[in-house]
């Protein structure tokens, strides 16, 4: 059961962040950071549907995290979330067409390893 | 320049937001053993705690900054670039919450810094 929860939280977290990124890129780069223009830009992104879908996925991930933490040690669950760094990088290359070179991969793997250890 | 500024905002607001949220929730006491209804009530009551409220404001700013940055930067750049917040959380947990920091945590710190340094050498955006 705990592994089903961990798989859910990692997969929905990655899916959510990829959906949000796609939505923000489609809405276009934000140049004007003054309050009204900035809020208008965020609203435009929300109307596209991708960002809200991503937020829902992140919410599911968060609840899976809470459930996992209620059932297992934090020092077991939190390092598992480091897997999201690798999964997100994979997804970014596959779905978002980002060019992930060897340097970026190496960096992501080191960060994932570091996050896993920092939680201990 | 705007990337550097937004990354700094993301790192600082997520780290301080999480630590202050934790500080406030610890003052509320353990709510994990309550029934779902009681837990929801306790979580709502927690919003009245000053630290929880400040933490939530900071975390909201964090999320908005995160969204804005993703409108121009690669996800595979932003995520590692914001990992220093884990280091800041470890340090702040020690200084503000009195938590102990194990040797594993310091080793993990070094790995994160190395990983971030590598990712920082790549392009912010690789898509058209």
């Amino acid at each position: 059961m705990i592994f089903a929860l961990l798989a859910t939280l990692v997969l929905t977290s990655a899916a959510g962040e990829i959906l949000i990124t796609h939505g923000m890129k489609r809405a276009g780069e934000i140049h004007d950071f003054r309050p009204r223009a900035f809020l208008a830009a965020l609203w435009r992104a929300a109307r596209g549907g991708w960002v809200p879908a991503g937020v829902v996925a992140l919410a599911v991930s968060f609840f899976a995290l809470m459930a996992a933490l209620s059932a297992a040690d934090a020092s077991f669950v939190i390092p598992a979330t480091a897997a999201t760094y690798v999964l997100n990088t994979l997804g970014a290359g596959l779905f978002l067409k980002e060019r992930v070179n060897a340097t970026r991969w190496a960096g992501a793997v080191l960060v994932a390893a570091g996050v896993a250890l920092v939680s201990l | 320049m705007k990337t550097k500024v937004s990354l700094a905002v993301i790192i600082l607001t997520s780290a301080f937001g999480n630590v202050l949220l934790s500080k406030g929730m610890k003052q509320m006491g353990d709510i994990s053993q309550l029934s779902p209804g009681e837990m929801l009530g306790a979580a709502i009551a927690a919003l009245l705690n000053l630290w929880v409220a400040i933490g939530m404001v900071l975390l909201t700013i964090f999320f908005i900054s995160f969204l804005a940055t993703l409108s121009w930067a690669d996800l595979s750049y932003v995520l590692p670039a914001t990992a220093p917040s884990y280091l800041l959380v470890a340090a702040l947990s020690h200084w503000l919450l009195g938590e102990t920091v194990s040797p594993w945590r310091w080793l993990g710190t070094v790995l994160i810094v190395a990983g971030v340094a590598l990712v920082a050498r790549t392009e912010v955006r690789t898509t058209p």
Side-chain angles (χ1 to χ4, degrees):
Chain A
M1 185 53 184
I2 184 68
F3 288 104
L5 283 175
L6 288 179
T8 301
L9 93 84
V10 165
L11 288 170
T12 50
S13 167
E17 290 181 314
I18 287 167
L19 286 169
I20 282 176
T21 305
H22 182 69
M24 291 309 300
K25 288 292 190 330
R26 269 178 55 124
E29 175 169 354
I30 297 180
H31 293 285
D32 192 345
F33 295 92
R34 289 171 303 180
R36 276 223 322 202
F38 186 70
L39 287 173
L42 288 179
W43 178 241
R44 215 172 40 243
R47 282 193 14 232
W50 295 98
V51 172
V55 169
V56 168
L58 286 184
V60 171
S61 175
F62 184 68
F63 286 117
L65 175 68
M66 305 254 76
L69 287 174
S70 75
D73 285 351
S75 56
F76 175 74
V77 174
I78 303 298
T81 65
T84 60
Y85 280 94
V86 173
L87 215 62
N88 269 303
T89 304
L90 209 63
L94 273 174
F95 302 115
L96 302 174
K97 306 292 183 245
E98 293 179 9
R99 285 205 317 274
V100 186
N101 60 14
T103 303
R104 189 172 284 187
W105 264 115
V109 169
L110 280 176
V111 166
V115 166
L117 287 179
V118 159
S119 321
L120 295 180
Chain B
M1 182 56 184
K2 72 177 176 182
T3 305
K4 286 196 173 70
V5 170
S6 65
L7 288 178
V9 169
I10 288 170
I11 291 167
L12 289 170
T13 52
S14 75
F16 276 97
N18 278 308
V19 170
L20 292 180
L21 183 69
S22 185
K23 186 176 172 70
M25 287 310 296
K26 289 294 192 310
Q27 289 179 345
M28 303 298 300
D30 186 356
I31 68 171
S32 66
Q33 306 302 322
L34 301 175
S35 70
E38 287 172 334
M39 201 186 296
L40 185 61
I44 292 170
L47 292 173
L48 296 174
N49 178 290
L50 179 67
W51 298 116
V52 170
I54 295 174
M56 293 293 292
V57 168
L58 290 175
L59 288 176
T60 304
I61 297 173
F62 148 71
F63 192 64
I64 291 174
S65 311
F66 183 63
L67 286 182
T69 311
L70 288 175
S71 77
W72 72 81
D74 282 354
L75 177 65
S76 56
Y77 179 90
V78 172
L79 281 178
T82 54
S85 68
Y86 282 95
L87 315 182
L88 197 52
V89 167
L92 291 174
S93 304
H94 178 61
W95 294 328
L96 298 181
L97 305 177
E99 296 180 8
T100 44
V101 183
S102 72
W104 286 121
R105 194 165 286 173
W106 287 118
L107 176 59
T109 299
V110 171
L111 288 178
I112 290 175
V113 170
V116 168
L118 280 180
V119 171
R121 294 171 55 165
T122 65
E123 307 252 325
V124 172
R125 181 173 190 154
T126 61
T127 57

